[in-house]
Amino acid sequence: MPVEMNTPLGKIDVTEEVIARISGGAAMEVFGLVGMASRKAFKDGIAEMLRLDNLSKGVVVRNENGQVVLDMHIIVSYGTKISEVAGNVQRRVRYTLEQTVGIDVSAINIFVQGVRTERET
């Protein structure tokens, strides 16, 4: 179900896919974030990291009682403070969605699916 916005000029519908793609791109700008993880189950205990063209698959967009809620599945870099990376992702995504789409996100839930070291590819 698309997110609807009413303006003096008319109605604007923004699909969840667009919101997810913008959110994934904004999250990738945060230092310490290696990538977005697939929402699917782990493979052999390892989260599947998504390529840049599939970033939206690591984001779930829900419309709960007129409020937009995001669930983001991320992979962080080893040696970074996970709480700082998660907080920075929340702030960056909220700011980007407010500035580019004009929607207010009520919650951004972060699920850290893995930690990636430099040796892994």
Side-chain angles (χ1 to χ4, degrees), residues 3 16 24 27 29 33 36 44 50 58 64 66 96 98-99 101 103:
V3 175
E16 284 92 353
E29 296 175 359
L33 186 73
M36 302 298 292
D44 299 326
L50 299 169
E64 297 179 353
T96 301
E98 287 174 355
Q99 296 300 311
V101 184
I103 61 171

Side-chain angles (χ1 to χ4, degrees), residues 22-33 36 52 55 88-89 92-93 95-96:
I22 292 170
S23 300
M28 288 304 298
E29 296 175 359
V30 173
F31 175 79
L33 186 73
M36 302 298 292
L52 289 177
L55 292 178
N88 289 339
V89 168
R92 171 58 109 182
V93 169
Y95 175 80
T96 301

Side-chain angles (χ1 to χ4, degrees), residues 12-25:
I12 300 171
D13 289 337
V14 182
T15 65
E16 284 92 353
E17 176 67 24
V18 170
I19 294 170
R21 192 172 296 256
I22 292 170
S23 300

Side-chain angles (χ1 to χ4, degrees), residues 4-16:
E4 295 181 5
M5 296 179 291
N6 292 313
T7 67
L9 298 175
K11 184 174 83 167
I12 300 171
D13 289 337
V14 182
T15 65
E16 284 92 353

Side-chain angles (χ1 to χ4, degrees), residues 3-5 14-16 18-24 26 59-72 89-110:
V3 175
E4 295 181 5
M5 296 179 291
V14 182
T15 65
E16 284 92 353
V18 170
I19 294 170
R21 192 172 296 256
I22 292 170
S23 300
V59 181
V60 178
V61 180
R62 297 190 317 264
N63 193 348
E64 297 179 353
N65 302 324
Q67 299 289 321
V68 177
V69 176
L70 300 179
D71 292 337
M72 303 189 74
V89 168
Q90 289 171 322
R91 284 185 287 278
R92 171 58 109 182
V93 169
R94 181 179 305 265
Y95 175 80
T96 301
L97 286 175
E98 287 174 355
Q99 296 300 311
T100 59
V101 184
I103 61 171
D104 185 32
V105 181
S106 63
I108 302 173
N109 303 312
I110 304 293

